[in-house]
Amino acid sequence: MAESNGDVRINEGERQHLNIPFESGLDFRITALSIGFYIIANTGMTYPETTQPEANPPRDIPNGTAEAKDGVVKDKAAEADQIADGVFQVTVKLPHEPHQIQIMVSTQEQVQDLRQSIVELPETFQYSCFHLEHKDLRINDFVELSEVSGLASGSELTLLEDPYTEKEARMHLVRVRELIGAAGDRTDTLYGISAGVSLHDSITSLDEPEESTLANGKPAMAAKPDRKHPLVDYDFTAPGSPRTLIPPTRNAPPKTIKAILLSPWNPPPHYLRQKGHLMYLQVTTNEGEQHQITSHVSGFFVNKCSNSKFDPFPRPAPKSLHAHSLLTLIDALSPSFSSAFTALQNYNNQKDPLAIFQLTNAIPSNPWLVPSPTTLVGSHQPDPTRAQENYLLSGTENLETLRDWNEEFQSTRELPRETVQDRVFRERLTSKLFADYNEAAARGAVLVARGEVAPLNPTEGKDAQIFVYNNIFFSFGADGVGTFTTEGGDEAARVAVGKDVMGVKAVNQLDIQGLYTPGTIVVDYLGKRLVCQSIVPGIFKQREPGENQIDYGGVEGRDTVAENEAFVSVFQKLSTALRVKKHPVWDKEEKRHDLEGSVETKGLLGTDGRKYVLDLYRLTPLDVTWLEEHGAEISEEKKEGSVKPYPHRMAVLRPELIEAYWRSRMGEYVKKEVERRKDSKGQPNGTAQQSPTKEHKSEEKEQEIPEKDEEASAQTSGAPKEASAENERVDISGFQLAFNPDVFCGQVPQTEKEKEEWSSDEQEVRAACNHLKTKVMPDLVHDLQEGEVGFPMDGESLSRLLHKRGINIRYLGEVATLAERQGLRLQALNALAVQEMVARAFKHIANRELRHLPSPFVPCCVSHLLNCLLGSEFNPHPVAEVDDGMKSLYSNTSLAYEDINPGTLRSDIEEQVHLRYRYSLTEGWSASIKPLQLLREIALKLGLQLEAKDYSFTAVSSGTAGESPASAINGSASTSSLPASVNGHPVQSSNGKKKKKAVDQGSPTSSVASGPPCSSLTFSPDDILNIAPIVKESSPRSMLAEEALEAGRISIMQNQKELGQELLLESLSLHEQIYGILHPEVARVYYQLSMLYYQLEEKTAAVELARKAVIVSERTLGIDNAETVLSYLNLGLFEHANGNTVVALAYVRHALELWKIIYGIKHPDSITTINNAAVMLQHLKNYHESRLWFEASLAISEEVSGKQSVNTATLLFQLAQALALDQDSKAAVNRMREAYNIFLAKLGASDRNTKEAESWLEQLTQNAVSIARHAKDLQARRLHRVQLTPRVTLATRPQRQVGQSSAEAASGMDPRSNLGLDPRSIDELMRFIEGGGDSAKRSTPKKRTTRNNPKRRGGGAIGAAA
């Protein structure tokens, strides 16, 4: 639903008709906003305006330009191109002012898309119930415009108002309430507090010294020299502040009307319903006048009713007022409405449109810290109609929201997919359907968990009860009927349903024709795990005696196995894609059955004739190595030593590992094949090589390795480079590798041949397990140690990195152990892994306590557990706060959590960590954890929404959300040379009033509350404001959009820039059409495209895309998600490259503040960010502060990588240059000498870095005396004439994503991504220092050889040339 400030509900999921792709790959985008239409040609991007645009604003548009004003394309050539591509302008005649409008349309649009465009235009807000006519013939709303006879450029359409139905009248009322800001805040069962909030606009509003390039497309003016930048007084060591995550308090939106609600006289009696009365409304204007209004089939009119008299007929003249639109009628009733409505629109336009659009294709993120209910942001506002909205949206019988989900899913799957247009329509509908289903299922799961839905089998135990709500089937993720008794009981069942969702998602992604899956999600809420599935026709059908409930696969465990030839073909396609081999299984009578998949994977022939695949939790083999070491099969010696076995046998290998192992083996095969070919040639110039034969061509089409893939595989396996010779392909049809998922699962082969085959299958699975332990995990740790990939920031990014490499979460303990054995850099990985294990162990304990607890006790339980874990140093003996009245009311409820104390909880966590991750926490681990970061991890895993305030984790740091127990109040223990600040937010010390204002931001009137000084506990039940459900869904990604994106990347890498940009724009358009604008996948493609455009020197486009990535990431992933932080960092980099350095520094500061909350201080990858900030400060001529930021990055590198590492030497090299700029020649010489000594020791005297450092050192030493002599003169006269540009200063570089390598970040586009040291010559820098530098005279530096660690970590990089 829309927000309470009158945001226009523009249903972005239904407005994708505004993105119009063409076969050429070019794209015309028409954006309907509350302030009008703006047409941007050939950009793939929307440029929303917050103010009225200047006439014919110039735009720097990649690969083409266009001018737009009031929806009319001025360029005639562009207009001709549009018509040729099916885009043209039509005129719509209106019954009221302005009487006609012009709209750009596409032949690919449907008429209902055109209707939506009309509804969203400010000039036509009032229309909602109408139809369109062309040449006096009514147009069907559900046909494409290309099917409308005679419709062409310049055609005229006529809008005619239709009579209302009750549904149309209700929808009209809902829309008008949102348009005029009369809809108050809503309490939603699925969306939590401040769901989908964005902080972007509040950051840019604080620091805008220049005109934004985003609004007008022109370069910004340089920042004023006397204006302070956002990094003034930044404190590196101050702890993170909850204020960072809370949007600033805005002034209340203008009120257009006091109240609009359903009248007490509603609904109309039967005799008046026959006369066209639909419902009755009551409106109170700002003037205080109350009006009773009748909703009639003809429109709305003021009636003669009062609060005590029923007379719903029109008033007599001259007081009679009637209008087809309620908006028009209210305007006539209230003299102040028009001006207030305009003011409201201006108020809404202060925010980016992306920040206020309603999310329809994704569930918005729920922040874990939210404003206090006592603040203006979090307060609950009165709204009489709030309780009536269910009726307005769903009708009296509530039947409009009931849908046959399964039929919709399968019908959508059966849509044609032959043409590109077919695929776009099919994937778009699929994305929308999954989004609707996920939302409906999650809402139902919340009601089931709360006990609001009656079970179908109330006599069964709670864990065995099943439910049906909104045509969705619900069950608990527990072993209620004993299915998983031998696998681990409830633990196994909980894991199995999670794996099942992953399996369904994998099958949905494969999109095998003829194979169907039910809609499936898993919801974790209040300690319970619920499985939500669409109802498969026939799943509850009672079969005839002798018939099985299942048609293919295991029926009752493994005792009965069913076979059905109809399923073989579709299951064969599935098993081939998943690397699963056809294999035998045996039932309880030892009868052999050959299955295409695991015996646990079942096939069901529905009563609708479709083939459904169910129970997809065992698509990959068991991790036998883990189970043999830690599972139920552990040795008696370990059992006697009180080592508990792993809690379940559902430990399977990840699909990513299977794929990685398959590629590894394939690489070995390719290597051998290439060597065989070379041997068969006999001589180097021989011609014995033969192309693949014709009979293999059909198979090779699927299995041949392209040149690029072959090269990668050959390099991985050590094959010679000749393997990737031009036009050479290796036929891999002879390579076979597939896995038997049922080995080590109790199957007993009968014959010797079967035993031999089974043993071979077992060895293959063991080899894959060994590959995980001996290759994959060590490689990951090595890459992180050497800085080859982006370093994880929090538990989610660490988990995602492990999963991407095919590593299961159960190996967290082994990852932590490997990190312990490495250098200083990996201590951060060890601390992060330990924190993640503790958070997950706490989650399991909390779920155990919450699972059967009535909801009124949930806040008490959660707060007590948090006090025992994080508040024990503040209060060593916390006591659970329980209302005695509630306790007596629920007298049969066990409140075992009251007996938990800090000691028992720590022991329980240690036991859980060892049980699940085989890792022993060190003594005193609880004192070394970061409380704020651990609190965030726990909140995200349990769905907690806590009041944003400074929690007291220790007695010393009372009132402070510190990094660790050793943190002093507000970071006062800082050793930084920068001025102090409060929680990282600057305090103005030059003026007493300013200082007071800064401190007052934390007052009760702000969004962040202060911790109660008199409280004896860190957390109270009142701090737990909400618990939101955690949803795991199975929606597939769009293959069409990803194919276009990958094709664009490849084209650019092959220097086909124009084609590559067209494909990238096409991919962007496809992503937006299929997913809707507000979707995590769209945020990621914005991020990737912004990087590509930045490397292509399309800086304005890069900034716009990066800004979109930030806002969409905030709203769908979270305002403090790791991906959001990276988006902010790169947006800052791109703004700096575009000349908006002050705005860039505001983004960098916000990202660093987020980093403090997510990870804490001194993250390994923060070195790059701090270096970038130092370069930006040089651009602003803040040389001394720039030097301090370089020193800060050096300090982190020394702590993370060691003082003698190549990373540190590279930073010393850069710092020496910065010191030279700051006129500190002596320190510059010392730092350069340190860098030279390290390079000499680590890389040798012949290394280029060593030679360059030696040359710099010699020159700096020779000129030290001269520089010192003229320092004062330079400061007074020459330094002010120095013109700094990013090409003269040290280079900035984009921040890599977690797990992304430098090569991937650069995408092979810019060789500068491999540079580590500054590209200037010594003479150039010395002339620059002395005031005579001229960047135009620089010679182009030679391309340096690629090296791994030193140059990636150094800060040389993808340039930020302005």
Side-chain angles (χ1 to χ4, degrees):
M1 306 300 288
E3 298 177 1
S4 59
N5 59 6
D7 299 341
V8 180
R9 183 166 80 170
I10 300 179
N11 202 337
E12 56 90 10
E14 298 175 359
R15 62 192 295 277
Q16 297 311 307
H17 61 281
L18 302 177
N19 307 325
I20 309 168
F22 300 103
E23 293 181 359
S24 65
L26 303 182
D27 188 32
F28 266 90
R29 303 285 313 292
I30 309 171
T31 303
L33 302 177
S34 56
I35 42 81
F37 268 88
Y38 298 99
I39 304 172
I40 293 90
N42 195 22
T43 67
M45 291 175 293
T46 306
Y47 287 74
E49 304 280 349
T50 55
T51 57
Q52 291 296 331
E54 57 182 304
N56 300 324
R59 299 192 184 278
D60 296 328
I61 298 175
N63 204 24
T65 60
E67 299 176 349
K69 181 182 179 184
D70 298 330
V72 180
V73 177
K74 299 297 184 183
D75 190 338
K76 298 300 182 183
E79 184 175 357
D81 291 340
Q82 293 170 24
I83 296 173
D85 284 331
V87 179
F88 54 91
Q89 181 176 277
V90 297
T91 300
V92 181
K93 291 189 174 181
L94 307 172
H96 309 292
E97 290 186 356
H99 298 299
Q100 73 175 32
I101 57 173
Q102 282 77 37
I103 295 182
M104 296 296 297
V105 297
S106 165
T107 54
Q108 298 178 3
E109 294 180 315
Q110 291 187 344
V111 177
Q112 61 177 346
D113 296 330
L114 175 58
R115 283 177 54 95
Q116 186 69 19
S117 299
I118 295 172
V119 168
E120 292 171 357
L121 276 175
E123 297 89 345
T124 51
F125 271 158
Q126 69 267 33
Y127 301 109
S128 68
C129 184
F130 62 90
H131 72 271
L132 297 172
E133 290 187 357
H134 179 54
K135 296 180 180 179
D136 297 328
L137 296 176
R138 179 166 182 156
I139 305 174
N140 189 317
D141 290 342
F142 299 96
V143 301
E144 288 190 357
L145 292 176
S146 59
E147 300 177 25
V148 179
S149 176
L151 188 64
S153 178
S155 296
E156 289 188 350
L157 302 177
T158 305
L159 185 150
L160 297 178
E161 295 171 334
D162 283 338
Y164 285 95
T165 63
E166 182 190 335
K167 179 180 178 180
E168 291 281 0
R170 287 190 280 106
M171 294 300 102
H172 185 77
L173 175 59
V174 170
R175 173 169 170 76
V176 168
R177 275 171 41 81
E178 291 170 347
L179 277 173
I180 66 178
D185 64 303
R186 295 172 173 86
T187 303
D188 196 281
T189 57
L190 178 60
Y191 302 159
I193 304 168
S194 300
V197 68
S198 172
L199 302 178
H200 173 269
D201 292 336
S202 63
I203 297 163
T204 54
S205 64
L206 298 177
D207 296 280
E208 288 186 340
E210 313 121 35
E211 290 293 324
S212 174
T213 57
L214 307 184
N216 56 26
K218 294 189 293 186
M221 299 292 292
K224 296 180 180 179
D226 58 345
R227 190 181 188 279
K228 289 190 175 181
H229 57 81
L231 297 184
V232 170
D233 299 336
Y234 183 82
D235 187 353
F236 291 98
T237 60
S241 170
R243 186 177 295 110
T244 306
L245 303 183
I246 303 301
T249 303
R250 298 181 71 195
N251 295 328
K255 285 193 72 68
T256 59
I257 198 168
K258 284 189 176 180
I260 177 170
L261 63 150
L262 293 174
S263 168
W265 300 113
N266 202 64
H270 293 290
Y271 72 96
L272 290 177
R273 187 176 293 275
Q274 294 182 124
K275 296 184 178 182
H277 291 211
L278 302 175
M279 58 183 179
Y280 304 121
L281 311 176
Q282 182 175 297
V283 173
T284 305
T285 64
N286 280 346
E287 290 78 15
E289 297 181 359
Q290 186 181 97
H291 301 275
Q292 300 281 346
I293 295 176
T294 296
S295 172
H296 191 264
V297 292
S298 63
F300 298 84
F301 60 81
V302 180
N303 62 38
K304 295 183 285 185
C305 288
S306 67
N307 289 335
S308 57
K309 177 185 175 184
F310 181 61
D311 188 0
F313 295 99
R315 286 180 179 178
K319 293 185 178 182
S320 61
L321 289 173
H322 181 278
H324 188 267
S325 171
L326 181 59
L327 197 65
T328 307
L329 182 62
I330 295 174
D331 189 25
L333 289 173
S334 174
S336 64
F337 175 80
S338 179
S339 59
F341 186 58
T342 301
L344 177 65
Q345 298 309 305
N346 293 333
Y347 177 89
N348 290 334
N349 288 339
Q350 293 174 6
K351 299 192 72 174
D352 190 289
L354 286 178
I356 61 176
F357 283 166
Q358 181 193 17
L359 278 82
T360 58
N361 279 25
I363 296 177
S365 66
N366 293 308
W368 66 280
L369 283 178
V370 293
S372 169
T374 61
T375 62
L376 179 61
V377 177
S379 61
H380 193 50
Q381 303 296 328
D383 180 12
T385 318
R386 185 161 42 221
Q388 303 170 344
E389 280 190 340
N390 282 339
Y391 159 71
L392 293 175
L393 294 173
S394 306
T396 307
E397 304 298 330
N398 197 29
L399 295 177
E400 297 172 15
T401 59
L402 293 178
R403 300 164 64 175
D404 188 343
W405 296 107
N406 191 76
E407 182 59 31
E408 288 191 46
F409 274 121
Q410 315 319 332
S411 298
T412 303
R413 193 183 299 272
E414 292 169 347
L415 288 173
R417 60 181 92 178
E418 282 74 24
T419 66
V420 173
Q421 289 79 9
D422 288 341
R423 291 182 65 186
V424 170
F425 179 76
R426 181 174 180 268
E427 292 187 359
R428 175 180 169 184
L429 189 60
T430 298
S431 176
K432 177 63 176 170
L433 178 58
F434 269 98
D436 290 348
Y437 173 77
N438 293 344
E439 180 175 334
R443 292 185 189 280
V446 169
L447 295 177
V448 170
R450 289 180 178 174
E452 305 287 347
V453 180
L456 298 181
N457 53 342
T459 59
E460 301 285 344
K462 287 202 173 208
D463 289 342
Q465 290 179 349
I466 57 176
F467 308 81
V468 172
Y469 180 81
N470 197 6
N471 285 337
I472 300 173
F473 175 73
F474 298 89
S475 59
F476 289 106
D479 192 22
V481 295
T483 305
F484 294 94
T485 302
T486 59
E487 306 294 326
D490 288 344
E491 288 276 3
R494 186 180 181 91
V495 172
V497 295
K499 298 289 185 186
D500 184 44
V501 172
M502 291 175 52
V504 172
K505 186 166 189 168
V507 175
N508 288 340
Q509 191 65 50
L510 293 173
D511 197 15
I512 297 171
Q513 196 160 2
L515 188 63
Y516 300 87
T517 59
T520 307
I521 71 167
V522 165
V523 178
D524 291 332
Y525 184 65
L526 300 182
K528 306 174 183 67
R529 172 163 285 191
L530 291 109
V531 189
C532 319
Q533 295 177 303
S534 61
I535 302 174
V536 176
I539 196 168
F540 296 122
K541 177 184 176 182
Q542 293 296 324
R543 301 291 182 108
E544 296 294 329
E547 283 189 333
N548 295 321
Q549 285 291 117
I550 297 298
D551 297 289
Y552 192 81
V555 180
E556 299 172 0
R558 307 182 190 96
D559 292 342
T560 305
V561 179
E563 291 185 84
N564 188 327
E565 285 299 321
F567 282 86
V568 171
S569 60
V570 290
F571 269 59
Q572 185 179 29
K573 296 177 183 177
L574 176 63
S575 60
T576 301
L578 297 175
R579 318 289 186 200
V580 173
K581 67 181 296 184
K582 185 175 183 178
H583 61 278
V585 296
W586 296 266
D587 57 23
K588 62 182 179 182
E589 298 176 355
E590 299 183 353
K591 180 181 178 182
R592 172 173 171 155
H593 304 268
D594 290 324
L595 297 181
E596 291 288 348
S598 168
V599 70
E600 305 289 352
T601 303
K602 301 171 177 58
L604 173 68
L605 187 62
T607 54
D608 56 359
R610 298 185 176 108
K611 303 179 186 70
Y612 292 89
V613 58
L614 309 173
D615 293 350
L616 294 164
Y617 52 82
R618 279 274 306 281
L619 295 179
T620 55
L622 290 176
D623 187 353
V624 62
T625 303
W626 176 272
L627 291 175
E628 288 180 347
E629 289 182 9
H630 310 297
E633 299 89 347
I634 61 176
S635 63
E636 293 298 326
E637 292 79 6
K638 290 185 177 181
K639 289 183 180 179
E640 292 174 1
S642 70
V643 177
K644 292 185 178 180
Y646 195 63
H648 58 81
R649 277 185 51 86
M650 298 303 299
V652 297
L653 299 174
R654 290 193 62 82
E656 296 91 341
L657 176 73
I658 297 297
E659 191 65 24
Y661 180 70
W662 186 89
R663 288 182 177 276
S664 174
R665 289 286 302 276
M666 182 187 68
E668 297 174 4
Y669 176 85
V670 170
K671 178 181 177 181
K672 293 178 181 178
E673 185 71 13
V674 170
E675 291 176 348
R676 184 187 62 79
R677 287 185 180 185
K678 290 177 63 178
D679 293 340
S680 66
K681 291 179 182 179
Q683 295 180 356
N685 296 326
T687 57
Q689 179 176 326
Q690 299 295 327
S691 60
T693 57
K694 292 183 180 181
E695 56 266 27
H696 288 297
K697 283 188 176 180
S698 61
E699 187 175 13
E700 288 167 10
K701 188 176 181 180
E702 297 274 342
Q703 296 184 329
E704 282 179 355
I705 307 177
E707 176 185 343
K708 178 174 285 294
D709 291 339
E710 178 188 344
E711 180 180 359
S713 301
Q715 289 176 351
T716 301
S717 58
K721 291 184 178 180
E722 288 82 1
S724 56
E726 186 175 357
N727 297 326
E728 181 178 350
R729 293 176 180 267
V730 176
D731 179 14
I732 62 169
S733 59
F735 174 71
Q736 298 292 335
L737 177 63
F739 295 89
N740 181 347
D742 288 322
V743 293
F744 306 108
C745 293
Q747 295 289 337
V748 181
Q750 301 301 307
T751 66
E752 289 300 322
K753 184 178 180 181
E754 291 171 350
K755 291 178 181 179
E756 182 179 345
E757 180 183 359
W758 203 259
S759 177
S760 175
D761 293 344
E762 289 180 344
Q763 291 304 316
E764 202 66 74
V765 171
R766 288 188 184 276
C769 296
N770 186 61
H771 182 75
L772 170 63
K773 296 198 68 173
T774 61
K775 175 67 176 174
V776 176
M777 282 194 289
D779 282 357
L780 171 64
V781 173
H782 176 269
D783 289 347
L784 291 172
Q785 166 72 12
E786 296 299 319
E788 295 291 338
V789 297
F791 206 90
M793 299 183 192
D794 60 353
E796 181 185 353
S797 56
L798 175 61
S799 302
R800 192 166 59 246
L801 174 59
L802 294 179
H803 288 164
K804 182 180 178 182
R805 296 291 186 104
I807 304 172
N808 302 83
I809 292 298
R810 61 177 171 272
Y811 284 101
L812 268 175
E814 190 150 343
V815 170
T817 302
L818 289 173
E820 285 177 355
R821 302 169 185 165
Q822 303 298 326
L824 291 173
R825 177 179 171 83
L826 288 190
Q827 295 307 307
L829 177 62
N830 174 263
L832 197 57
V834 169
Q835 175 180 284
E836 179 68 2
M837 287 187 285
V838 170
R840 288 176 176 270
F842 182 91
K843 179 191 71 172
H844 287 291
I845 296 168
N847 285 338
R848 181 187 67 201
E849 300 298 330
L850 294 173
R851 186 173 168 188
H852 299 298
L853 202 62
S855 56
F857 293 102
V858 169
C860 306
C861 177
V862 172
S863 61
H864 180 64
L865 293 176
L866 290 176
N867 282 324
C868 291
L869 177 64
L870 299 174
S872 59
E873 292 197 26
F874 182 75
N875 185 339
H877 306 289
V879 178
E881 299 181 26
V882 181
D883 189 331
D884 291 335
M886 285 288 183
K887 198 171 182 179
S888 61
L889 186 62
Y890 293 91
S891 57
N892 295 328
T893 299
S894 171
L895 302 180
Y897 71 88
E898 291 183 289
D899 300 327
I900 296 176
N901 59 55
T904 59
L905 180 61
R906 281 194 292 268
S907 298
D908 206 351
I909 288 175
E910 292 169 5
E911 181 182 343
Q912 289 289 327
V913 168
H914 189 270
L915 176 68
R916 298 177 184 278
Y917 310 108
R918 300 298 157 172
Y919 184 82
S920 298
L921 294 172
T922 59
E923 187 175 352
W925 62 268
S926 59
S928 63
I929 60 175
K930 303 172 184 177
L932 183 63
Q933 286 69 40
L934 182 56
L935 175 62
R936 174 181 177 272
E937 295 291 348
I938 291 171
L940 293 177
K941 287 173 173 54
L942 293 176
L944 305 181
Q945 291 193 289
L946 307 171
E947 180 180 343
K949 67 180 183 181
D950 294 321
Y951 290 100
S952 303
F953 296 115
T954 67
V956 176
S957 59
S958 177
T960 305
E963 292 295 333
S964 68
S967 298
I969 299 177
N970 292 336
S972 60
S974 168
T975 58
S976 172
S977 58
L978 295 179
S981 63
V982 178
N983 285 335
H985 294 262
V987 176
Q988 303 290 344
S989 57
S990 60
N991 186 297
K993 292 182 180 180
K994 291 183 179 180
K995 184 174 182 179
K996 184 178 189 301
K997 182 177 180 181
V999 174
D1000 285 344
Q1001 289 178 357
S1003 65
T1005 60
S1006 71
S1007 302
V1008 182
S1010 299
C1014 58
S1015 175
S1016 61
L1017 296 172
T1018 302
F1019 301 93
S1020 72
D1022 291 339
D1023 295 330
I1024 316 298
L1025 300 183
N1026 183 44
I1027 299 183
I1030 306 296
V1031 179
K1032 300 179 181 179
E1033 46 88 24
S1034 58
S1035 56
R1037 301 187 314 276
S1038 167
M1039 294 306 298
L1040 181 63
E1042 292 187 0
E1043 287 166 5
L1045 179 62
E1046 188 61 27
R1049 278 205 199 99
I1050 293 173
S1051 298
I1052 290 176
M1053 291 172 65
Q1054 295 174 348
N1055 289 326
Q1056 296 177 339
K1057 181 178 178 181
E1058 184 174 349
L1059 174 62
Q1061 284 186 299
E1062 291 180 3
L1063 289 169
L1064 293 178
L1065 296 176
E1066 181 70 15
S1067 171
L1068 177 61
S1069 177
L1070 290 171
H1071 273 88
E1072 292 181 334
Q1073 288 185 77
I1074 290 168
Y1075 293 113
I1077 296 176
L1078 298 174
H1079 192 279
E1081 291 298 325
V1082 177
R1084 294 181 180 110
V1085 79
Y1086 282 149
Y1087 179 92
Q1088 295 174 47
L1089 289 182
S1090 69
M1091 295 283 291
L1092 289 169
Y1093 274 107
Y1094 176 70
Q1095 293 158 12
L1096 292 171
E1097 297 295 325
E1098 300 282 2
K1099 296 170 188 172
T1100 303
V1103 167
E1104 171 66 7
L1105 287 166
R1107 184 186 60 80
K1108 287 173 174 284
V1110 163
I1111 298 176
V1112 179
S1113 293
E1114 284 186 320
R1115 301 199 63 197
T1116 59
L1117 298 172
I1119 54 178
D1120 61 344
N1121 185 274
E1123 294 184 43
T1124 304
V1125 175
L1126 294 174
S1127 297
Y1128 264 116
L1129 290 172
N1130 281 343
L1131 175 57
L1133 177 66
F1134 303 159
E1135 283 282 16
H1136 167 67
N1138 232 15
N1140 292 340
T1141 302
V1142 174
V1143 174
L1145 289 174
Y1147 290 133
V1148 170
R1149 181 187 183 111
H1150 181 69
L1152 289 172
E1153 294 291 354
L1154 290 177
W1155 222 325
K1156 287 182 177 181
I1157 292 177
I1158 295 173
Y1159 174 84
I1161 60 176
K1162 300 180 181 178
H1163 186 277
D1165 281 356
S1166 65
I1167 297 171
T1168 302
T1169 301
I1170 296 173
N1171 265 15
N1172 287 347
V1175 172
M1176 295 176 192
L1177 288 171
Q1178 282 186 352
H1179 179 78
L1180 295 179
K1181 304 180 183 179
N1182 289 285
Y1183 304 118
H1184 184 67
E1185 288 194 41
S1186 172
R1187 160 190 176 172
L1188 297 178
W1189 280 71
F1190 276 122
E1191 290 174 345
S1193 67
L1194 175 62
I1196 297 175
S1197 179
E1198 289 179 343
E1199 183 171 333
V1200 169
S1201 302
K1203 292 187 177 182
Q1204 298 301 313
S1205 68
V1206 180
N1207 286 350
T1208 301
T1210 306
L1211 294 174
L1212 284 167
F1213 187 101
Q1214 295 176 331
L1215 177 58
Q1217 295 175 326
L1219 289 168
L1221 289 176
D1222 197 28
Q1223 307 303 310
D1224 193 344
S1225 57
K1226 182 178 179 181
V1229 170
N1230 292 335
R1231 291 301 193 182
M1232 190 60 70
R1233 182 179 293 110
E1234 293 177 38
Y1236 167 72
N1237 290 335
I1238 297 174
F1239 283 141
L1240 181 63
K1242 296 290 185 181
L1243 304 178
S1246 61
D1247 186 83
R1248 183 182 180 88
N1249 292 324
T1250 308
K1251 292 180 179 179
E1252 191 166 353
E1254 182 181 19
S1255 181
W1256 270 90
L1257 177 60
E1258 180 182 354
Q1259 189 70 20
L1260 285 172
T1261 303
Q1262 291 175 357
N1263 289 276
V1265 177
S1266 175
I1267 292 173
R1269 185 184 306 125
H1270 296 289
K1272 185 175 180 180
D1273 182 55
L1274 287 171
Q1275 182 67 25
R1277 296 184 292 104
R1278 298 181 181 177
L1279 193 57
H1280 295 293
R1281 297 201 300 268
V1282 175
Q1283 298 298 318
L1284 277 174
T1285 69
R1287 289 191 181 276
V1288 178
T1289 60
L1290 299 174
T1292 56
R1293 71 172 188 174
Q1295 194 82 26
R1296 289 175 299 174
Q1297 289 181 299
V1298 174
Q1300 184 183 37
S1301 67
S1302 297
E1304 291 170 337
S1307 298
M1309 290 302 304
D1310 195 338
R1312 288 175 292 170
S1313 61
N1314 291 326
L1315 299 182
L1317 305 181
D1318 192 84
R1320 294 168 291 178
S1321 69
I1322 300 173
D1323 293 337
E1324 287 170 347
L1325 185 64
M1326 298 313 299
R1327 287 198 303 270
F1328 166 67
I1329 293 172
E1330 296 173 359
D1334 185 0
S1335 61
K1337 297 178 182 179
R1338 295 197 321 273
S1339 61
T1340 303
K1342 295 180 180 179
K1343 182 177 178 182
R1344 303 177 185 175
T1345 56
T1346 301
R1347 302 186 69 88
N1348 289 336
N1349 182 34
K1351 302 193 177 185
R1352 287 197 176 98
R1353 304 306 309 164
I1358 298 170

